[in-house]
């Protein structure tokens, strides 16, 4: 009811489009992860400076302080883990799409997963920290590590 009211519609109209809360959550997850995928897909492959800006924006105090306007992963992942199979399938599909977009930049599946996990984990940790100084240290450390991981993943195999 609160979600319907926030959207300016009635609960009945929400249920007209969605069979229940689970179907609604799956649709929200799919839409939000598509937004995250688009963010990385919009960066031209090889544009390390622009990729760095996108990652820095993700690992920014603004993203940490405003979960309502950011990526759903740091906030919703614990809820998704307890959701039904349809929600978890929507999550997996969206997550794989984000991974594919990230993999275009690093050309290394493991590096793409590691970047995603580190970024999401850093935001989760930073949101839980009361100290702005410690929060900043976590975000800065993961930004540095992300830059290094992107550079290393893009190096020719014989230089790794």
């Amino acid at each position: 009811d609160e979600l319907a009211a926030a959207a300016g519609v009635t609960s009945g109209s929400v249920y007209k489009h969605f069979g229940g809360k689970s179907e609604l959550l799956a649709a929200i997850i799919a839409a939000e992860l598509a937004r995250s995928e688009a963010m990385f897909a919009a960066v031209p492959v090889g544009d390390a400076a622009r990729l760095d800006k996108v990652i820095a924006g993700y690992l920014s105090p603004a993203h940490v302080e405003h979960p309502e306007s950011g990526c759903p992963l740091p906030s919703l992942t614990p809820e998704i883990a307890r959701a039904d199979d349809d929600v978890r399938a929507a999550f997996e599909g969206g997550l794989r799409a984000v991974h594919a977009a990230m993999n275009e930049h690093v050309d290394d599946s493991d590096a793409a997963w590691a970047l995603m996990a580190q970024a999401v984990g850093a935001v989760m940790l930073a949101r839980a920290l009361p100290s702005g100084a410690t929060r900043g240290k976590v975000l800065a450390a993961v930004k540095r590590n992300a830059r290094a991981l992107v550079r290393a993943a893009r190096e020719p195999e014989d230089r790794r």
Side-chain angles (χ1 to χ4, degrees):
D1 290 340
E2 288 178 35
L3 185 59
V9 298
T10 65
S11 295
S13 65
V14 170
Y15 286 110
K16 180 179 178 184
H17 296 286
F18 302 100
K21 291 177 185 176
S22 178
E23 193 176 317
L24 175 60
L25 180 57
I28 290 168
I29 296 299
E32 289 299 311
L33 287 175
R35 192 169 55 95
S36 295
E37 174 202 3
M39 178 177 67
F40 289 107
V43 176
V45 173
D47 190 342
R50 191 149 162 218
L51 179 61
D52 188 57
K53 279 185 178 182
V54 170
I55 292 171
Y58 191 94
L59 294 168
S60 70
H63 185 220
V64 169
E65 294 164 11
H66 297 284
E68 71 281 1
S69 61
C71 175
L73 293 175
S75 300
L76 293 180
T77 299
E79 297 303 320
I80 294 164
R82 293 189 293 268
D84 66 28
D85 288 343
D86 291 339
V87 171
R88 293 176 73 192
F91 175 76
E92 183 175 358
L95 194 63
R96 286 180 174 274
V98 174
H99 174 266
M102 179 62 76
N103 194 49
E104 288 292 316
H105 297 289
V106 295
D107 198 28
D108 179 329
S109 181
D110 288 352
W113 285 122
L115 277 167
M116 292 166 58
Q118 288 174 21
V120 170
V123 172
M124 290 174 76
L125 291 174
R127 285 182 179 162
L129 291 167
S131 167
T134 304
R135 186 181 310 144
K137 287 178 183 180
V138 168
L139 295 173
V142 175
K143 278 185 222 174
R144 285 189 301 275
N145 193 60
R147 286 181 189 124
L149 191 56
V150 168
R151 276 194 309 273
R154 297 302 293 177
E155 283 183 0
E157 190 90 16
D158 61 337
R159 291 187 59 200
R160 287 188 209 166

